[in-house]
């Protein structure tokens, strides 16, 4: 086991840690995370409309279009918000003006859209030029990422090569920065305009065709949900925040899958994608990565005074899905006795949860809820009020308890013997 940890630390860890700090991935992560409050707000209104109480749904039926408006302005435009956030983050990482980076990213992304003459839903009144929302939500997320990279990299290139409009020092900084962005903005917007509107090449559709197989694998296959779990647990066991590393890579996929689920439910359908981020947060990471809430309770039942104390200190954070106290206090990191169940048990719960959702025993996730809500409540709300989600959480918790139990007993025996030997000195 020590050789295995050594291999992770020396071979797997360096490239993964380097990948986590890669500027573009970090910008994507930060930009997408910045949209989470809006997505939570929007998905709450979807839950409000679809809450499984017939009397309630009948009561609000006449007002559904109005109630759903916050959803359309938040989740329906998530790629728009992410585009600005990602561009801002990447520009700041290059010591460029963040507002210019965000604005150019947003403008370049919007240039991939084709405005149309719209008509009012009721009547034939023309609305003027409007932008279709097809690719302003999750469907345009990959385009937003690529156009963000293009816009900010052109901004950086022009800045480094002094291909900018420079104003006298007496001009306020905000005005000078806006002029510095004119030439790189002209380049990036003109390039996308030429491809999209002169060559008539639909960038959004082309990118979605490329990424659709990847999205399908990540969202609806067993390996698509198992591989992230294994990588996250292995990295955590070696002392690296696994979700930060792996999440930076796969979170755009999770977000696209989630947006598809939310939209399906908002339109009166049923969520279809399994592998959203909620799949892991709600049913696999009960108490945090590795399902460590069960470990906290088992520690409290130990003979070892140290383990009891760690269990008590870790229980309340664990209930709210914060597990750093148990991760580094037990410790699980670089501790073979606890690292083995830490890796094995999430594989089992991932399998159980995948089967349950694959065969529609439990609804897929279609609502985003705050991270710190305890698992059973969060699972109920996030599956649009499916009571079976609570049962699945409890089953997975029992699985964690059973798998961790023999390893904790062995660790407790070792720690208790060490404490007795220290008292005898």
């Amino acid at each position: 086991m020590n050789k295995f940890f050594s291999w992770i630390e020396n071979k797997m860890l360096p490239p993964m840690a380097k990948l986590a700090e890669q500027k573009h991935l970090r910008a994507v992560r930060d930009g997408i995370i910045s949209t989470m409050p809006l997505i939570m707000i929007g998905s709450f209104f979807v839950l409000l409309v679809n809450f499984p109480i017939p009397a309630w749904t009948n009561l609000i039926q006449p007002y559904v279009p109005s109630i759903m408006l916050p959803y359309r302005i938040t989740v329906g435009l998530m790629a728009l918000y992410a585009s600005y956030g990602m561009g801002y983050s990447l520009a700041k990482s290059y010591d460029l003006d963040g507002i210019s980076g965000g604005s150019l990213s947003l403008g370049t992304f919007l240039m991939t859209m084709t405005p149309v003459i719209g008509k009012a839903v009721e009547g034939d009144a023309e609305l003027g030029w409007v932008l279709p929302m097809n690719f302003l939500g999750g469907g345009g997320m990959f385009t937003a990422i690529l156009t963000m990279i293009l816009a900010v990299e052109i901004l950086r290139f022009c800045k480094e090569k002094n291909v900018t409009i420079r104003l006298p020092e007496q001009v306020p900084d905000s005005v000078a920065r806006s002029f510095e962005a004119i030439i790189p903005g002209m380049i990036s917007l003109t390039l996308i305009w030429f491809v999209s509107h002169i060559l008539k090449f639909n960038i959004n559709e082309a990118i979605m065709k490329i990424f659709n197989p990847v999205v399908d694998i990540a969202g609806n296959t067993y390996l698509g949900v198992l591989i992230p779990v294994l990588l996250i647990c292995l990295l955590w066991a070696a002392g690296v925040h696994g979700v930060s590393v792996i999440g930076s890579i796969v979170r755009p996929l999770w977000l696209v899958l989630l947006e598809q689920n939310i939209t399906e439910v908002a339109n009166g359908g049923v969520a279809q994608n399994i592998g959203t981020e909620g799949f892991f947060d709600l049913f696999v990471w009960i108490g945090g990565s590795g399902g460590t809430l069960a470990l906290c309770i088992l520690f409290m039942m130990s003979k070892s005074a140290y383990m009891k104390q760690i269990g008590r200190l870790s229980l309340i954070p664990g209930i709210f899905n914060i597990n750093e106290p148990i991760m580094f206090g037990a410790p699980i990191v670089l501790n073979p006795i606890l690292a083995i169940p830490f890796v094995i048990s999430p594989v089992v719960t991932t399998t159980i949860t995948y089967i349950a959702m694959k065969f529609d025993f439990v609804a897929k996730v279609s609502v985003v809820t705050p991270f710190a809500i305890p698992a059973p409540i969060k699972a109920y709300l996030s599956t649009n009020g499916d009571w079976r989600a609570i049962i699945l959480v409890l089953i997975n918790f029992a699985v964690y308890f059973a798998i961790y139990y023999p390893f904790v007993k062995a660790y407790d025996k070792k720690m208790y013997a060490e404490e007795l030997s220290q008292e005898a000195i």
Side-chain angles (χ1 to χ4, degrees), residues 255-266:
L255 196 60
V256 170
L257 293 163
L258 174 66
E259 190 268 347
Q260 291 175 355
N261 281 359
I262 297 174
T263 301
E264 190 68 34
V265 172

Side-chain angles (χ1 to χ4, degrees), residues 295 298-299 302 307 338 404-412:
L295 192 61
L298 285 167
F299 264 47
S302 301
M307 290 174 64
L338 296 179
Y404 273 120
Y405 180 79
F407 293 92
V408 171
K409 292 297 287 183
Y411 190 53
D412 183 35

Side-chain angles (χ1 to χ4, degrees), residues 100-156:
S100 296
S103 298
L104 293 184
S105 297
L106 180 56
T108 306
F109 171 56
L110 287 175
M111 190 56 71
T112 66
M113 313 290 170
T114 303
V116 296
I117 296 292
K119 290 187 177 182
V121 176
E122 297 179 2
D124 295 326
E126 288 193 355
L127 301 176
W129 290 101
V130 297
L131 278 178
M133 294 181 66
N134 309 46
F135 294 105
L136 293 176
M141 186 60 67
F142 298 120
T143 305
I145 292 170
L146 295 176
T147 52
M148 174 274 297
I149 294 172
L150 173 70
V152 177
E153 290 298 337
I154 289 175
L155 177 64
R156 180 172 72 100

